[in-house]
Amino acid sequence: MKHIYKKTIKLRYNNQIFQVLVRDDHKYAFLKIVDKDGQKYSYPTAHEFLHLSSMLNTNNRIKF
């Protein structure tokens, strides 16, 4: 089954901006915006991913 990601909101975390992507089965993905135009992205570190995930998933048992 192929999943489709959709851009939703942008979050500011640790003086950086992250694009939040939501899959059709309500799973989150994050991309770090590298340039000011929002055209270049990079993957967040594992530490950043865990913090961003805990911000959006309030039912998550991992809290930071």
Side-chain angles (χ1 to χ4, degrees), residues 29-42:
F30 306 98
L31 292 174
K32 186 187 305 186
I33 298 175
V34 177
D35 68 344
K36 294 184 181 195
D37 294 330
Q39 299 298 321
K40 292 186 181 180
Y41 300 99
S42 69

Side-chain angles (χ1 to χ4, degrees), residues 10-27:
K10 293 179 182 176
L11 292 177
R12 181 174 294 277
Y13 168 73
N14 204 15
N15 294 325
Q16 297 174 341
I17 300 174
F18 294 87
Q19 178 69 56
V20 179
L21 306 168
V22 179
R23 211 163 65 181
D24 54 359
D25 61 350
H26 306 290
K27 304 251 182 184

